[in-house]
Amino acid sequence: MENRFFKQLEPLSQGDTVALDEAIEQLRFDGNGLIPVIAQQHATGEVLMMAWMNRDALLETLKTGRVCYWSRSRQALWRKGESSGNTQKLIELRIDCDGDTLLCLVDQKGPACHTDRTNCFYLRADEKTLSVVANPVKEI
């Protein structure tokens, strides 16, 4: 389903701006009030993880510069690294062309994955097998 707000932004040129409050109001949060977020290491382009934000997590992230997600399992705000120390500093937040996915360009300190791997995408699937393609950075 087309989002008219984001559709009207298509002809804008680099450097043009729109009020952030207006853009946030037009984001497509799902029925649970969540929007998917991809975290990417800003310097290398490595995709680190996928998580979810609600409006409060998004606003906190923008205000503090420290990435905050919504934990679906705990039903609470999850400030990346609050227990592990493996934090994400927000470098830049981007919104996709439909307003239904966010991209956080971050400076990741330590492993991004709870398995102590640099990213959460360490399993490769092919026609017949699932293979581990990365070891933990430190023993788990």
Side-chain angles (χ1 to χ4, degrees):
M1 182 176 187
E2 183 177 276
N3 185 319
R4 289 186 186 155
F5 176 82
F6 288 97
K7 184 73 172 166
Q8 76 182 9
L9 300 180
E10 290 178 8
L12 295 181
S13 297
Q14 186 173 348
D16 291 342
T17 62
V18 174
L20 180 63
D21 291 347
E22 186 178 0
I24 289 174
E25 286 304 314
Q26 297 300 320
L27 288 176
R28 287 192 181 156
F29 292 91
D30 70 12
N32 295 313
L34 302 175
I35 191 166
V37 184
I38 300 296
Q40 182 179 33
Q41 180 66 34
H42 76 101
T44 65
E46 179 182 14
V47 175
L48 301 172
M49 56 181 280
M50 181 273 176
W52 298 91
M53 282 185 181
N54 62 10
R55 187 175 309 275
D56 290 341
L58 173 58
L59 293 174
E60 180 176 318
T61 296
L62 290 169
K63 181 179 178 181
T64 67
R66 182 174 172 195
V67 182
C68 178
Y69 298 107
W70 177 257
S71 170
R72 294 180 303 165
S73 60
R74 293 184 298 245
Q75 292 291 295
L77 290 175
W78 161 39
R79 292 157 187 94
K80 182 71 174 150
E82 65 188 342
S83 61
S84 68
N86 300 327
T87 60
Q88 291 178 347
K89 176 184 174 193
L90 182 67
I91 302 301
E92 185 175 321
L93 188 135
R94 296 186 185 180
I95 300 171
D96 82 328
C97 59
D98 294 322
D100 62 5
T101 305
L102 304 177
L103 173 66
C104 284
L105 301 174
V106 303
D107 183 15
Q108 174 72 45
K109 296 296 182 198
C113 185
H114 74 281
T115 66
D116 285 328
R117 289 172 171 86
T118 58
N119 70 66
C120 296
F121 299 97
Y122 63 90
L123 298 171
R124 179 179 55 218
D126 64 25
E127 199 174 322
K128 297 181 182 180
T129 62
L130 186 65
S131 305
V132 174
V133 295
N135 288 323
V137 176
K138 56 185 177 186
E139 291 300 316
I140 50 177

